[in-house]
Amino acid sequence: MKPRGMTQVRTFIDWDTARRIVKPSLKRSGEIQSLTSMFELQEFISELLHENDKTANYRITYRIYHGWHRGKTKTSDLIAFEELSAKSSLSRRIGACSFAPEIVFGNNLLCGGKRSILFDTLRRRDESNKDEQKMVDTALVSDLLTSVRQEKDAIYLVIGDDDDLLPGVITAERWGAKIMLARITRPSDNSHLQTADLIRRRKTLQ
């Protein structure tokens, strides 16, 4: 049972964007780097929610989207996050914001069903030999819209710099969701779209 007066916040996080909230360090293990980034992200989220309503108490849960599998093999990022989640390292309170210890990975779609588990979301480009993510933005948007259909009373926070997320955010807003799109490193937005009241960003970029 949720505490009286507690507002549920559902966050949908593009990890490729969110981990840039801190500079990567070659001296840090994957687990420590992920934990540091998540702590910084929690500070950012609490700042946004405090600006939204200074009187509310919040319970924040996460769904995090990334290239979690190469084929069906777990990536080092997924292994590091699973270790964090097992240790409950992310359970934290910042002012009026209470953060859940659990991490839910976005490769298991909220729609359910026999096709809901996504693999092979990190692939190697043959021509450049570089990794690229597949199905990540669309998985995030699919889960966002599924969640909004099921629960209208929550606040929805999408964290990601890519404009590919905007159609889903706009649709969620049209369906009546209280929603914000937060950006980490992107300093400006598309001037042809009316997004000024949807988008939030770190104060250091304002």
Side-chain angles (χ1 to χ4, degrees):
M1 181 180 296
K2 67 181 181 181
R4 184 179 180 183
M6 186 74 72
T7 300
Q8 298 296 315
V9 180
R10 310 299 184 198
T11 58
F12 297 79
I13 302 170
D14 170 21
W15 185 243
D16 196 47
T17 293
R19 63 181 174 181
R20 297 177 199 165
I21 200 165
V22 295
K23 293 180 179 180
S25 170
L26 295 177
K27 297 180 181 179
R28 294 172 175 166
S29 69
E31 182 182 346
I32 296 300
Q33 182 68 39
S34 297
L35 180 61
T36 302
S37 298
M38 283 301 298
F39 279 172
E40 288 291 329
L41 196 61
Q42 288 175 340
E43 297 282 352
F44 177 41
I45 291 170
S46 66
E47 175 186 296
L48 292 179
L49 294 174
H50 182 70
E51 289 176 356
N52 179 65
D53 186 347
K54 294 180 174 61
T55 64
N57 293 306
Y58 300 101
R59 174 67 172 172
I60 299 100
T61 58
Y62 328 89
R63 292 184 67 86
I64 303 184
Y65 299 79
H66 192 49
W68 295 130
H69 293 86
R70 190 184 301 280
K72 287 191 173 181
T73 302
K74 295 179 181 180
T75 63
S76 58
D77 286 328
L78 178 55
I79 293 170
F81 262 118
E82 286 180 335
E83 290 172 353
L84 282 182
S85 190
K87 295 176 181 177
S88 300
S89 302
L90 297 177
S91 181
R92 194 179 180 202
R93 187 169 184 87
I94 304 174
C97 296
S98 177
F99 291 89
E102 303 85 7
I103 300 168
V104 180
F105 303 105
N107 64 303
N108 194 346
L109 297 176
L110 281 171
C111 64
K114 65 180 181 180
R115 282 182 263 271
S116 63
I117 299 178
L118 303 177
F119 292 107
D120 201 27
T121 51
L122 188 67
R123 305 177 194 173
R124 187 65 54 86
R125 285 184 179 178
D126 292 336
E127 61 274 14
S128 64
N129 206 34
K130 291 182 178 180
D131 288 334
E132 64 179 356
Q133 297 184 88
K134 293 293 185 180
M135 300 182 283
V136 172
D137 289 342
T138 50
L140 189 157
V141 166
S142 296
D143 279 353
L144 169 66
L145 296 180
T146 298
S147 187
V148 168
R149 287 184 64 185
Q150 295 172 347
E151 183 180 15
K152 288 289 178 64
D153 293 336
I155 292 176
Y156 291 90
L157 176 60
V158 176
I159 298 176
D161 286 341
D162 201 323
D163 275 352
D164 286 346
L165 300 172
L166 276 169
V169 171
I170 291 168
T171 301
E173 182 191 44
R174 185 68 180 90
W175 287 359
K178 298 175 183 177
I179 189 165
M180 295 180 282
L181 173 61
R183 290 183 159 169
I184 300 294
T185 61
R186 186 167 175 163
S188 61
D189 302 311
N190 191 323
S191 61
H192 300 285
L193 302 174
Q194 297 178 3
T195 58
D197 56 342
L198 273 179
I199 293 176
R200 305 288 188 273
R201 54 175 37 85
R202 298 176 71 190
K203 288 182 178 180
T204 53
L205 294 179
Q206 291 179 340

